Amino acid sequence: MGTKETSLGASTLLEYPAYLDHIRRDSRRFREVLTDCDPATPVPGCPDWTAADLLWHLTEVQSFWAQTVRSRPAAPPQEGPGPARPTAYADLLATFDERSAALVDELAAADPRDPAWHWAPEQTVGTSYRRQAHEALIHRLDAEQTAGAVTPLDPVLAADGVHEALDVMYGGKPPAWGRFEPGPHHVRLDLVDQGTSIWARPGSFHGTDPESGRRYDDPHLQVVPAPDAPPAAVISGRAADVDAWLWHRLGEHVVGPVLKVTGDRAAYDALLTAVSESVD
């Protein structure tokens, strides 16, 4: 099978109805495995959370983005309390059902091309289609790990998740008030079951946020087209494993038994530093 090399991830993107189907299915599975779980069970991928915390987190996330799509193109209110967290686990489950259904309904009723607020550079409803599909996927994995009932991740969605994690969650185009300084290395991520390769260039982000006054001098990366040179390092594995690894859901000792790394260790370490902060 030939290898597809992505430039800005075009070959990993799904059709919008597919993203919506994944939100439905993974939210349903998330709810299913948490239904009979002890609310106090720790979440392996988010050690500070219990099963009840995880349930409430995705409830809040899906509630927020349902509201954001509903109020488009206006930005969501910056002030004011969010929904109150129920104390009983059964009520948490019922609230999740309500808020998750609202997200699906709002997305289904909107045109993905509609302008809508988002913290990511692309300000469309379609951005929420994609982001919420990956949010549901990873938190479904959290729920399954918590309940001890892990099932395979969809490899096509996971391949897009690798690109989305690199290009949106950890990297991407800097805001106008900042700049990206590329490092010397290119790293290629090979998704062996999908025949897809994604190239990343670790570097650093520098700038001062004019609103908060906060100064940033942080590791960063960008997804880039394949250069006219071999990669300094290659990370290879199944799409689901690479996606879960980027989200810090595979544990510490995955290089070797699950993922393979070849090439310059400094290049690999630069990418690892850029994705070192755990994402909830």
Side-chain angles (χ1 to χ4, degrees):
M1 179 171 58
T3 298
K4 299 177 290 183
E5 290 187 337
T6 67
S7 174
L8 303 182
S11 65
T12 71
L13 294 172
L14 282 67
E15 297 292 332
Y16 289 116
Y19 284 127
L20 194 59
D21 285 344
H22 281 296
I23 294 172
R24 289 189 183 99
R25 287 200 297 268
D26 287 322
S27 296
R28 184 165 57 246
R29 175 62 178 165
F30 171 87
R31 206 275 197 200
E32 175 185 289
V33 295
L34 288 182
T35 298
D36 297 321
C37 192
D38 182 340
T41 305
V43 179
C46 303
D48 293 335
W49 289 358
T50 64
D53 295 331
L54 173 63
L55 177 57
W56 182 240
H57 171 75
L58 191 56
T59 300
E60 287 189 302
V61 167
Q62 294 192 341
S63 178
F64 176 83
W65 289 105
Q67 177 187 357
T68 300
V69 174
R70 187 182 307 120
S71 63
R72 68 186 186 281
Q78 297 298 309
E79 304 294 337
R85 175 173 171 167
T87 55
Y89 195 64
D91 293 336
L92 275 174
L93 290 165
T95 303
F96 173 77
D97 291 342
E98 175 188 330
R99 304 300 167 83
S100 188
L103 173 65
V104 169
D105 289 346
E106 293 295 341
L107 289 172
D111 188 325
R113 298 167 295 182
D114 284 350
W117 180 89
H118 205 282
W119 52 261
E122 185 178 336
Q123 303 275 304
T124 66
V125 170
T127 303
S128 290
Y129 267 81
R130 188 188 191 202
R131 174 86 286 282
Q132 291 311 302
H134 294 301
E135 190 84 16
L137 176 71
I138 294 301
H139 289 316
R140 177 206 117 189
L141 176 59
D142 282 332
E144 290 183 334
Q145 290 178 340
T146 302
V150 176
T151 58
L153 303 186
D154 181 273
V156 175
L157 182 62
D160 185 58
V162 172
H163 177 270
E164 201 257 3
L166 292 170
D167 194 48
V168 178
M169 301 303 291
Y170 288 114
K173 182 180 179 181
W177 48 264
R179 72 185 191 281
F180 173 69
E181 291 186 1
H185 305 299
H186 286 90
V187 178
R188 196 182 73 213
L189 293 92
D190 291 344
L191 311 181
V192 296
D193 56 330
Q194 296 301 296
T196 297
S197 292
I198 298 171
W199 289 76
R201 190 166 189 180
S204 55
F205 170 74
H206 306 278
T208 301
D209 186 334
E211 293 187 5
S212 68
R214 178 181 173 185
R215 173 70 186 177
Y216 291 85
D217 294 288
D218 298 333
H220 198 69
L221 61 82
Q222 287 189 336
V223 172
V224 297
D228 295 325
V234 176
I235 301 168
S236 58
R238 297 182 308 162
D241 292 330
V242 178
D243 194 21
W245 171 72
L246 286 170
W247 281 80
H248 298 245
R249 265 54 176 191
L250 280 191
E252 298 179 4
H253 305 292
V254 298
V255 173
V258 179
L259 304 180
K260 182 180 179 182
V261 176
T262 58
D264 187 341
R265 179 72 193 197
Y268 168 71
D269 286 344
L271 184 132
L272 198 62
T273 297
V275 302
S276 62
E277 185 176 348
S278 182
V279 180
D280 295 332

